[in-house]
Amino acid sequence: MTGTALNVAATRVGTEVLGPGVRSVLWVQGCPLSCAGCMAPDWIPFRPARSAEPLELAEELLADPRVEGLTFSGGEPMAQAAGLAEVVRAARAVRDVSVICFTGHRLERLRSRPPNPGVRRLLDETDVLIDGPYVAALDDGRGLRGSSNQRVHLLTARYADGGYDFEGRPRAAEIAVSGPEALLVGVPPPGLIGAFDHAVDAVRARLAVPAALPHASEGREPHHER
Ligand code: SF4
């Protein structure tokens, strides 16, 4: 069976820095917005990246048996809402995972004027929506969102007990290294991105890695954090 193929920027299986518990993250390629200071500018262009079917992605994201939730970011997840909703359905046929979705759009707009027909389906599958554009001047260094204008909507009761402080928790990030690539995962604390890029550049210079190779700093949980 084939579904709505997704244009995927990156995935990370089994992280603890992007929501409650152990989660897998899917970043989509492409965003119609252009927030100043976006932390993932390489993922803004709507260019072909990795094309993958929902079923294939669900299997990949659940490969770690500890994974209890999925987190979607990008790029703009709502631009590929139909495919992401299919990923959730395929994953939940195997395991009752929770879903956190970042978006640069406001929830009210998504409900009143959804940018595509898949948005309603993805919202129906989402437990926590973190909405709004990233505003660098409002980045207060706290929480699972990039700036204080972004709101955390508990769309279901799954995390309503307040056990996970989405808005006030200290930020955490991890660096996943795979061959010549390094991925910064998480909503980074202030100063971490600059330090990470500096460290990557220093290592590349020491190893004489050509600058034309993909830069390693893609993959941070940017925006929406926006
Ligand atoms: S911060 Fe998020 S919404 Fe804004 S341009 Fe970057 S990916 Fe798009």
Side-chain angles (χ1 to χ4, degrees), residues 12-18 23 25 27 171-177 182-189 192 196 219-221:
R12 173 69 176 161
V13 177
T15 181
E16 297 184 43
V17 298
L18 278 174
R23 315 186 68 81
V25 187
W27 293 272
R171 289 189 186 164
E174 67 181 27
I175 295 171
V177 179
L183 188 69
L184 178 57
V185 183
V187 184
L192 181 61
F196 175 71
R220 54 188 61 136
E221 182 54 10

Coordinates of all heavy atoms in Angstrom, one line a residue, residues 12-18 23 25 27 171-177 182-189 192 196 219-221:
R12 N 15.1 11.6 13.6 CA 15.9 11.2 14.7 C 15.1 10.2 15.5 O 14.0 10.5 16.0 CB 16.3 12.4 15.5 CG 17.0 12.1 16.8 CD 18.4 11.5 16.6 NE 19.1 11.3 17.8 CZ 20.1 10.5 18.0 NH1 20.6 9.9 16.9 NH2 20.8 10.4 19.1
V13 N 15.5 9.0 15.7 CA 14.8 8.0 16.4 C 15.4 7.9 17.9 O 16.6 7.7 18.1 CB 15.0 6.6 15.8 CG1 14.3 5.5 16.6 CG2 14.4 6.6 14.4
G14 N 14.5 8.1 18.8 CA 14.9 8.0 20.2 C 15.6 9.1 20.8 O 16.8 9.0 21.1
T15 N 14.9 10.2 21.1 CA 15.5 11.4 21.8 C 14.7 11.8 23.0 O 13.5 11.5 23.0 CB 15.7 12.6 20.8 OG1 16.3 13.7 21.5 CG2 14.3 13.0 20.3
E16 N 15.3 12.4 23.9 CA 14.6 12.8 25.1 C 14.5 14.3 25.2 O 14.2 14.9 26.3 CB 15.2 12.2 26.4 CG 15.1 10.7 26.4 CD 15.6 10.1 27.6 OE1 15.3 10.6 28.7 OE2 16.4 9.1 27.5
V17 N 14.8 15.1 24.1 CA 14.9 16.5 24.3 C 13.8 17.3 23.5 O 13.8 18.5 23.5 CB 16.3 17.1 23.7 CG1 17.4 16.5 24.6 CG2 16.5 16.7 22.3
L18 N 12.8 16.5 23.0 CA 11.8 17.2 22.2 C 10.4 16.7 22.6 O 9.6 16.3 21.8 CB 12.0 17.0 20.7 CG 13.0 18.1 20.1 CD1 13.2 17.8 18.6 CD2 12.5 19.5 20.3
R23 N 11.2 9.9 22.4 CA 10.4 10.2 21.2 C 11.2 10.1 19.9 O 12.5 10.0 20.0 CB 9.9 11.6 21.3 CG 9.3 12.0 22.6 CD 8.7 13.4 22.6 NE 7.5 13.5 21.7 CZ 6.3 13.1 22.2 NH1 6.1 12.6 23.4 NH2 5.3 13.1 21.3
V25 N 11.6 12.0 16.1 CA 11.4 13.3 15.5 C 11.4 13.1 14.0 O 12.3 12.5 13.4 CB 12.4 14.3 16.0 CG1 12.0 15.7 15.5 CG2 12.5 14.3 17.5
W27 N 11.5 15.9 10.8 CA 11.5 17.2 10.3 C 11.2 17.2 8.8 O 11.9 16.5 8.0 CB 12.9 17.8 10.5 CG 13.4 18.1 11.9 CD1 13.1 19.2 12.6 CD2 14.2 17.2 12.7 NE1 13.8 19.1 13.9 CE2 14.4 17.9 13.9 CE3 14.7 15.9 12.5 CZ2 15.1 17.3 14.9 CZ3 15.5 15.4 13.5 CH2 15.7 16.0 14.7
R171 N 15.8 24.3 28.8 CA 16.0 23.7 27.5 C 17.1 22.7 27.5 O 18.0 22.8 28.3 CB 16.3 24.8 26.5 CG 15.1 25.6 26.2 CD 15.4 26.5 25.0 NE 14.3 27.4 24.8 CZ 14.3 28.5 24.1 NH1 15.5 28.8 23.5 NH2 13.3 29.3 23.9
A172 N 17.0 21.7 26.6 CA 18.1 20.7 26.5 C 18.2 20.4 25.0 O 17.3 20.6 24.2 CB 17.7 19.4 27.2
A173 N 19.4 20.0 24.6 CA 19.6 19.7 23.2 C 20.7 18.6 23.2 O 21.4 18.3 24.2 CB 20.1 20.9 22.4
E174 N 20.7 17.8 22.1 CA 21.7 16.8 21.9 C 22.3 16.9 20.5 O 21.6 17.4 19.6 CB 21.1 15.4 22.2 CG 20.1 15.0 21.1 CD 19.5 13.6 21.4 OE1 19.4 13.2 22.6 OE2 19.0 13.0 20.4
I175 N 23.5 16.4 20.4 CA 24.1 16.4 19.1 C 24.3 14.9 18.6 O 24.9 14.1 19.3 CB 25.5 17.1 19.2 CG1 25.3 18.5 19.5 CG2 26.2 16.9 17.8 CD1 26.6 19.3 19.8
A176 N 23.6 14.6 17.5 CA 23.7 13.3 17.0 C 24.7 13.3 15.8 O 24.5 14.0 14.8 CB 22.3 12.9 16.5
V177 N 25.7 12.5 15.9 CA 26.7 12.4 14.9 C 26.6 11.1 14.1 O 26.5 10.0 14.7 CB 28.1 12.5 15.5 CG1 29.2 12.4 14.5 CG2 28.3 13.8 16.3
A182 N 26.5 16.0 11.5 CA 26.1 16.2 12.9 C 24.8 16.9 12.9 O 24.6 17.9 12.2 CB 27.2 17.0 13.7
L183 N 23.9 16.5 13.8 CA 22.6 17.0 13.9 C 22.3 17.6 15.3 O 22.5 16.8 16.3 CB 21.6 15.9 13.5 CG 20.1 16.3 13.4 CD1 19.9 17.1 12.1 CD2 19.3 15.0 13.3
L184 N 22.0 18.8 15.4 CA 21.7 19.4 16.7 C 20.2 19.3 16.9 O 19.4 19.8 16.2 CB 22.1 20.9 16.7 CG 21.8 21.7 18.0 CD1 22.4 21.0 19.2 CD2 22.2 23.1 17.8
V185 N 19.8 18.5 17.9 CA 18.4 18.1 18.1 C 17.9 18.8 19.4 O 18.6 18.8 20.4 CB 18.2 16.6 18.3 CG1 16.8 16.3 18.5 CG2 18.8 15.9 17.1
G186 N 16.8 19.5 19.3 CA 16.2 20.1 20.5 C 16.0 21.6 20.3 O 16.5 22.2 19.3
V187 N 15.3 22.2 21.2 CA 15.2 23.7 21.2 C 16.4 24.2 21.9 O 16.6 24.0 23.1 CB 13.9 24.2 21.9 CG1 13.8 25.7 21.8 CG2 12.7 23.5 21.3
P188 N 17.4 24.8 21.2 CA 18.7 25.1 21.8 C 18.6 26.2 22.9 O 18.0 27.2 22.6 CB 19.6 25.4 20.7 CG 18.6 25.8 19.6 CD 17.4 25.1 19.8
P189 N 19.4 26.0 24.0 CA 19.5 27.1 24.9 C 20.3 28.3 24.2 O 21.0 28.0 23.2 CB 20.4 26.5 26.0 CG 20.3 25.0 25.9 CD 20.1 24.8 24.4
L192 N 23.9 28.2 22.2 CA 24.4 26.9 21.8 C 24.6 26.8 20.3 O 25.5 26.1 19.8 CB 23.4 25.8 22.3 CG 23.8 24.4 21.9 CD1 25.1 24.0 22.6 CD2 22.7 23.4 22.3
F196 N 27.9 25.5 18.6 CA 27.9 24.3 17.8 C 28.5 24.6 16.4 O 29.3 23.8 15.9 CB 26.4 23.9 17.7 CG 26.2 22.7 16.8 CD1 26.7 21.4 17.2 CD2 25.6 22.8 15.6 CE1 26.5 20.3 16.3 CE2 25.4 21.7 14.7 CZ 25.8 20.5 15.1
G219 N 19.0 20.6 11.4 CA 18.4 19.5 12.2 C 18.1 20.0 13.6 O 17.4 19.3 14.3
R220 N 18.6 21.1 14.0 CA 18.2 21.6 15.2 C 16.7 21.9 15.2 O 16.1 22.0 14.2 CB 18.9 23.0 15.5 CG 18.6 23.9 14.3 CD 19.4 25.1 14.4 NE 20.8 24.9 14.3 CZ 21.7 25.6 13.6 NH1 21.2 26.5 12.8 NH2 22.9 25.3 13.6
E221 N 16.1 21.8 16.4 CA 14.7 22.1 16.5 C 14.6 23.5 16.5 O 14.9 24.2 17.4 CB 14.2 21.5 17.8 CG 12.7 21.7 17.9 CD 12.1 21.1 16.7 OE1 12.8 20.4 15.9 OE2 11.0 21.4 16.5

